[in-house]
Amino acid sequence: MSATRRPLKSLGQNFLVDQNIIDKIIQTADIQPDQPVLEIGPGRGALTTHLAESAGRLVLIEFDHALAAWHRDQNKSLQHVTVIDADVLKVDLDTLLSETPQKWNVVANLPYNISTEVLFRLYGVHDRLARMTLMLQKEVGDRLAAPPDCSAYGVTTVLLGLWFDISRAFVVHPGSFHPSPKVDSAVLNFIPRSEARADVGNEDVFRSIVKSAFSMRRKTLINCLKSAEFAKHVDCAKLLESCVIDGRRRGETLSLEEFAALSRRVTEVLPITAE
Ligand code: SAM
């Protein structure tokens, strides 16, 4: 059967084989009756069977065509389960998650090679989410909770921190997977906030400022900002001065509030982007 074929390293296939951890993830996900659930990378279905039992609707996105076909076959009698045979990075999540009026519960043991990219996509649809329970490489999870001015603090910390309350549920050791990864993993809870943690003005501007501030870690903040698209229309030295931020600092020393202040100011002076 396709589900027993050798795991593909290229697709980050480290399958969960520890029933205790599987049960803990399902408990942590706290699926509500009739709630729509999205599972990214269902693999051999370690979590899927439990999710199908409690979800009102379950959408599976699996890039391994053989596994997607296997899930289709396994769930053919279940009307509420849909399998999407695709790369999650190419799926229009906004359209998918707008299919139901209810907000979605996302559950995933993410393929590590694309986990940061997936986090950005999920950040982009935060307003369609009720909660997320994600297994990540422990180091990636640690980054999400890192304070400013430490090496783990990065774009994901600032962007996801704006819209989610994030907490670590538990750590998972390599022996819980087949094959065993080289590093520890962690299951994290993401609870979307009803309001952003800070007023950032236009969110596209905010994203662009944060990404450019971290784009060249060895350069000063002012030099990083100058390379951003908005800098064509904004005097970065004046911008920093008006927010009382020293342009000689490194981007990774800025707090969320400081990024938000910069973003509000750029939004004000660039009214065309602030729709
Ligand atoms: N959920 C299963 C489990 O816990 O045992 C499998 C998790 S495994 C770490 C990651 C899964 O994501 C694999 O099934 C893999 O084929 C799938 N995957 C990898 N890249 C993907 C992508 N770009 N889009 C969708 N699924 C992907």
Side-chain angles (χ1 to χ4, degrees):
M1 195 202 314
S2 55
T4 58
R5 193 202 50 208
R6 270 179 59 200
L8 299 174
K9 207 173 170 187
S10 59
L11 288 181
Q13 291 184 344
N14 298 99
F15 298 116
L16 266 171
V17 289
D18 181 335
Q19 193 56 49
N20 180 35
I21 296 294
I22 294 168
D23 292 344
K24 273 169 85 173
I25 293 175
I26 298 295
Q27 253 174 37
T28 305
D30 191 26
I31 294 161
Q32 301 299 305
D34 292 331
Q35 195 170 41
V37 176
L38 169 66
E39 186 185 7
I40 300 168
R44 292 178 179 170
L47 303 167
T48 318
T49 322
H50 303 270
L51 298 176
E53 276 165 15
S54 36
R57 169 155 165 60
L58 174 63
V59 172
L60 311 172
I61 303 179
E62 175 56 66
F63 198 22
D64 181 322
H65 308 306
L67 286 178
W70 180 75
H71 277 289
R72 252 191 210 127
D73 187 54
Q74 291 285 300
N75 294 293
K76 59 178 181 268
S77 61
L78 300 179
Q79 301 271 315
H80 68 300
V81 181
T82 306
V83 181
I84 301 178
D85 177 353
D87 175 355
V88 65
L89 301 179
K90 303 238 167 82
V91 173
D92 178 350
L93 289 181
D94 198 24
T95 303
L96 175 70
L97 303 184
S98 300
E99 271 177 21
T100 63
Q102 299 115 299
K103 296 195 175 186
W104 291 67
N105 193 330
V106 180
V107 183
N109 167 15
L110 288 176
Y112 293 155
N113 48 343
I114 56 162
S115 58
T116 303
E117 206 44 51
V118 175
L119 284 174
F120 286 137
R121 305 279 158 148
L122 292 167
Y123 157 79
V125 290
H126 62 80
D127 56 334
R128 296 298 314 131
L129 305 176
R131 70 179 293 146
M132 305 198 285
T133 303
L134 305 179
M135 171 109 70
L136 299 163
Q137 222 170 303
K138 183 174 165 293
E139 189 198 316
V140 176
D142 289 346
R143 224 177 276 160
L144 293 168
D149 210 7
C150 93
S151 63
Y153 184 67
V155 180
T156 47
T157 326
V158 181
L159 293 188
L160 279 108
L162 180 68
W163 277 111
F164 292 93
D165 289 328
I166 305 170
S167 59
R168 186 163 82 193
F170 50 93
V171 171
V172 184
H173 299 296
S176 296
F177 303 87
H178 170 73
S180 301
K182 292 201 171 66
V183 293
D184 279 342
S185 306
V187 172
L188 275 85
N189 269 316
F190 296 71
I191 309 292
R193 300 169 60 86
S194 51
E195 276 186 26
R197 202 178 292 278
D199 173 10
V200 300
N202 182 288
E203 267 200 56
D204 292 336
V205 169
F206 176 68
R207 230 184 342 255
S208 154
I209 289 178
V210 174
K211 285 193 170 168
S212 60
F214 285 100
S215 60
M216 297 173 282
R217 280 202 178 235
R218 292 214 199 103
K219 296 219 169 170
T220 58
L221 176 62
I222 187 158
N223 281 333
C224 290
L225 293 183
K226 276 180 180 169
S227 67
E229 190 57 30
F230 67 79
K232 287 184 189 147
H233 314 283
V234 173
D235 179 332
C236 289
K238 280 196 185 143
L239 164 70
L240 288 161
E241 202 183 302
S242 70
C243 296
V244 203
I245 296 173
D246 185 340
R248 292 167 300 181
R249 284 168 63 184
R250 310 274 160 193
E252 67 262 28
T253 66
L254 266 64
S255 65
L256 173 62
E257 287 67 27
E258 288 174 313
F259 279 118
L262 287 173
S263 178
R264 280 196 306 274
R265 186 80 193 107
V266 175
T267 303
E268 277 165 27
V269 297
L270 263 191
I272 201 158
T273 62
E275 287 163 359

